[in-house]
Amino acid sequence: DAALRKALAALPGSLTVFIVSQRAASLQYADQILVLDDGVLAGKGTHDELLESCPVYQEIYYSQFPKEAVQNG
């Protein structure tokens, strides 16, 4: 995962890259995240925007990164 992000960042020019993932760590630095819930768009925005406004994204993120670890990290 980290190796893929590093390789993408090293590519020259301006690229459009689509990453499909259930891992929040893979997506949290994306310019734009689309959150799907049973195939329906549940949220759209940056990681920070979605943590504030999208319950589906919050559920996914905090299931992988407990709130205590995020706040203390």
Side-chain angles (χ1 to χ4, degrees):
D1 184 54
L4 173 61
R5 288 190 311 241
K6 185 177 180 181
L8 288 171
L11 292 173
S14 178
L15 301 173
T16 299
V17 178
F18 290 89
I19 299 174
V20 178
S21 180
Q22 293 180 348
R23 292 176 37 99
S26 300
L27 304 172
Q28 67 187 46
Y29 300 108
D31 295 329
Q32 192 72 231
I33 301 169
L34 302 177
V35 181
L36 299 178
D37 186 22
D38 288 327
V40 176
L41 186 64
K44 175 182 167 185
T46 65
H47 167 76
D48 291 334
E49 292 168 344
L50 292 168
L51 275 182
E52 290 290 322
S53 67
C54 181
V56 175
Y57 187 80
Q58 293 166 1
E59 181 180 343
I60 294 166
Y61 183 77
Y62 290 124
S63 73
Q64 297 172 21
F65 299 96
K67 286 185 181 184
E68 297 79 27
V70 172
Q71 292 171 350
N72 294 329

